[in-house]
C-alpha cells in the first residue's frame, strides 16, 4: 500500500472518502460514457463505417489509442524492481493459470449453452468472450481496488502468453470438439495465432514497454520520491479518460443494434452477469482460503472475472463480420462487465478489513 492508503486504513476513513473525486463517481462517468456511445451509434449515420475505415489489420486505431491511454498511467505506477517477489509466489501463479485457463472458459461454455442453446450466434460469441482472458481493463479495476500492481502486471503478462498459445486450441475444443462429444450442435472457430499475437502486442506490449521505460527513466532523472509524488499524480487521471473514450467507441460501434434489440441484449446479459459473479466471488474465496493477503487475493479475483473484450470483439468481427450476432455478444460484454466490476471494486474494498496485513 502507499503511505496515504496505509494511513487511511489505520484511521478508519470510509472507502468512498479514500477515493479521488474522479474514482468516487466512476460508475457515473461510465454510465454517461455508455449513454454517449449508444447515442452516437443511433444519431450519427454511418459512424460505424467511418470507424471501420480507421482500421489496420482488423484493429481499430481509435480503440487501440483509447486502450493505450487507459493502460499507460497504471503501468507507469508499477514497481518493476519488485516483480521477482510475485514470480516466486507459486500459489498466485498456479491459481491464476487454473482459474483463467481451465475454470473460466468452462464456466462460460456451460452458461452459454444453458442460457443460449437456441441462439447459436450469441452462444458462440459468449464462448469466444470466455476464451479471451483479460489483459487490459483488469489493470484499472485492480488499481481502484488497491490490489497488487506488480502482481497484476505479471498475471496479465502470463495471460498474454497463454492467449497466444492457447486461444485457437481452446476455441477448437469448446466450439467444435466438446460439443461433438456431448452431442450438441457444433460450430468451429478459425483464428490465426498471428492475429492474436498482434492484438496482444498492441493492447499490452506497447503500454507495458512505455510504462517500464517511463518508470526507469523517470526515477533516474527525478528520483523515486519525486516521480511518485509529482509525476504519477499528473498522468493518473488519463487512465480514466482513456477508459471512458474506449467505452464510448465500443458502444457507438453497435449502438443501433443494442437499442433496437433489447430482448436479445437481455438474453446475452444474463449469462454474462452470472459469469462475473461466479468467477469473482469464487476466486476471491479461493485466494482467502489458501492464505493470500488482500492485495493479491483482489488481484487474482479481478484477473479471473475480467475478459479481454477488445480481443473477443476483434476476433468475432474478423471471423463472422461486424454485424454478426457473435460481434454483438462481444459488444454487450463491457455493457455488463463495466458496471458489475465497478460495483465489485467497492465490495472488494469493503472486505479489505477482513484481511490481516501481510508482508509481501
Amino acid at each position: 500500500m502507499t503511505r496515504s492508503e496505509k494511513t487511511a486504513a489505520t484511521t478508519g476513513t470510509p472507502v468512498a472518502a479514500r477515493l479521488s473525486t474522479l474514482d468516487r463517481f466512476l460508475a457515473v462517468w461510465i454510465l454517461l460514457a455508455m449513454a454517449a456511445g449508444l447515442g452516437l451509434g443511433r444519431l450519427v449515420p454511418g459512424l460505424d463505417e467511418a470507424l471501420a475505415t480507421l482500421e489496420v489489420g482488423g484493429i481499430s486505431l481509435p480503440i487501440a489509442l483509447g486502450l493505450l491511454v487507459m493502460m499507460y498511467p497504471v503501468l507507469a505506477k508499477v514497481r518493476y524492481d519488485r516483480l521477482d517477489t510475485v514470480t516466486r509466489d507459486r500459489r498466485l501463479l498456479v491459481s491464476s493459470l487454473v482459474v483463467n485457463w481451465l475454470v473460466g472458459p468452462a464456466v462460460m461454455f456451460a452458461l452459454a449453452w444453458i442460457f443460449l442453446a437456441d441462439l447459436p450466434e450469441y452462444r458462440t460469441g459468449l464462448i469466444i468472450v470466455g476464451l479471451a482472458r483479460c489483459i487490459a481493463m483488469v489493470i484499472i479495476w485492480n488499481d481502484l481496488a488497491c490490489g497488487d500492481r506488480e502482481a497484476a502486471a505479471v498475471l496479465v503478462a502470463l495471460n498474454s502468453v497463454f492467449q497466444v498459445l492457447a486461444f485457437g486450441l481452446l476455441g477448437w475444443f469448446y466450439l467444435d470438439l466438446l460439443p461433438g462429444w456431448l452431442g450438441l450442435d457444433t460450430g468451429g472457430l478459425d483464428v490465426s495465432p498471428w492475429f492474436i499475437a498482434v492484438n496482444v502486442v498492441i493492447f499490452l506490449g506497447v503500454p507495458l514497454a512505455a510504462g517500464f521505460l517511463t518508470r526507469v527513466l523517470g526515477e533516474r532523472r527525478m528520483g523515486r520520491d519525486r516521480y511518485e509524488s509529482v509525476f504519477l499524480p499528473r498522468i493518473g487521471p488519463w487512465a480514466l479518460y482513456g477508459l471512458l473514450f474506449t467505452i464510448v467507441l465500443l458502444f457507438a460501434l453497435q449502438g443501433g443494434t443494442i437499442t433496437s434489440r433489447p430482448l436479445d441484449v437481455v438474453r446475452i446479459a444474463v449469462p454474462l452477469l452470472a459469469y462475473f459473479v461466479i468467477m469473482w466471488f469464487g476466486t476471491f474465496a479461493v485466494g482467502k482460503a489458501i492464505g493470500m493477503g488482500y492485495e493479491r487475493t483482489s488481484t487474482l479475483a479481478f484477473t479471473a472475472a475480467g475478459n479481454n473484450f477488445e480481443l473477443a470483439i476483434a476476433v468475432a468481427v474478423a471471423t463472422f463480420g461486424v454485424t454478426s450476432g457473435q460481434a454483438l455478444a462481444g459488444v454487450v460484454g463491457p455493457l455488463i462487465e463495466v458496471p458489475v466490476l465497478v460495483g465489485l471494486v467497492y465490495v472488494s474494498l469493503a472486505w479489505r478489513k477482513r484481511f490481516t496485513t501481510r508482508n509481501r
Side-chain angles (χ1 to χ4, degrees):
M1 288 188 288
T2 65
R3 185 178 305 172
S4 62
E5 288 166 352
K6 290 179 180 178
T7 301
T10 57
T11 58
T13 306
V15 169
R18 297 205 300 266
L19 299 174
S20 68
T21 301
L22 281 175
D23 293 341
R24 196 180 310 166
F25 296 101
L26 179 63
V28 176
W29 313 137
I30 288 173
L31 289 173
L32 290 175
M34 290 178 178
L38 291 173
L40 284 174
R42 291 286 289 179
L43 299 176
V44 181
L47 180 61
D48 52 347
E49 288 85 354
L51 291 174
T53 63
L54 300 175
E55 290 185 357
V56 176
I59 296 171
S60 170
L61 295 182
I63 289 179
L65 175 62
L67 290 170
L68 295 178
V69 173
M70 176 185 78
M71 296 177 65
Y72 165 69
V74 178
L75 290 170
K77 295 178 183 178
V78 172
R79 288 280 301 276
Y80 293 94
D81 57 338
R82 294 173 55 183
L83 293 183
D84 61 328
T85 66
V86 179
T87 56
R88 289 199 301 265
D89 190 341
R90 293 185 179 179
R91 292 177 306 171
L92 177 66
L93 297 182
V94 172
S95 298
S96 178
L97 288 176
V98 170
V99 297
N100 273 288
W101 296 101
L102 293 179
V103 178
V107 169
M108 187 68 90
F109 173 85
L111 291 172
W113 273 98
I114 290 171
F115 288 97
L116 298 172
D118 59 327
L119 296 171
E121 288 192 2
Y122 298 153
R123 184 184 67 235
T124 298
L126 278 192
I127 293 173
I128 293 173
V129 168
L131 301 179
R133 310 313 299 165
C134 197
I135 62 172
M137 289 185 182
V138 67
I139 295 176
I140 297 290
W141 313 136
N142 177 75
D143 206 51
L144 290 172
C146 298
D148 189 320
R149 288 174 184 150
E150 290 73 33
V154 170
L155 294 186
V156 296
L158 192 65
N159 276 348
S160 299
V161 173
F162 270 79
Q163 202 111 260
V164 175
L165 298 176
F167 189 96
L169 179 62
L170 288 174
W172 167 74
F173 177 78
Y174 281 107
L175 293 172
D176 189 13
L177 186 62
L178 183 57
W181 285 350
L182 299 176
L184 304 172
D185 185 26
T186 61
L189 174 67
D190 182 19
V191 183
S192 165
W194 170 250
F195 179 80
I196 300 170
V198 170
N199 276 274
V200 169
V201 168
I202 291 175
F203 295 138
L204 176 65
V206 172
L208 182 60
F212 173 76
L213 290 175
T214 300
R215 165 66 76 168
V216 171
L217 299 178
E219 286 190 0
R220 185 179 302 170
R221 182 174 179 179
M222 307 170 63
R224 175 166 294 174
D225 288 343
R226 190 158 174 260
Y227 175 83
E228 294 188 344
S229 63
V230 177
F231 178 74
L232 289 182
R234 289 180 180 175
I235 66 171
W238 283 93
L240 177 57
Y241 303 153
L243 173 64
L244 297 178
F245 177 75
T246 303
I247 290 172
V248 170
L249 288 181
L250 286 174
F251 283 87
L253 281 173
Q254 290 212 29
T257 305
I258 291 174
T259 55
S260 63
R261 287 195 261 170
L263 292 181
D264 286 0
V265 171
V266 171
R267 289 286 304 274
I268 297 169
V270 170
L272 280 169
L273 179 60
Y275 173 83
F276 295 132
V277 170
I278 291 170
M279 292 300 296
W280 193 88
F281 283 98
T283 306
F284 201 96
V286 168
K288 196 170 188 304
I290 63 178
M292 288 196 299
Y294 168 79
E295 289 82 3
R296 291 188 178 174
T297 296
S298 178
T299 298
L300 183 65
F302 281 103
T303 305
N307 289 87
N308 186 0
F309 286 105
E310 301 78 31
L311 177 59
I313 292 168
V315 169
V317 169
T319 307
F320 302 102
V322 70
T323 60
S324 65
Q326 291 87 344
L328 176 60
V331 173
V332 172
L335 175 68
I336 308 304
E337 178 188 12
V338 172
V340 169
L341 292 191
V342 168
L344 290 174
V345 165
Y346 287 92
V347 173
S348 185
L349 289 170
W351 285 359
R352 186 179 182 182
K353 61 185 178 182
R354 300 186 183 183
F355 286 78
T356 303
T357 302
R358 302 170 184 266
N359 294 324
R360 299 183 201 173

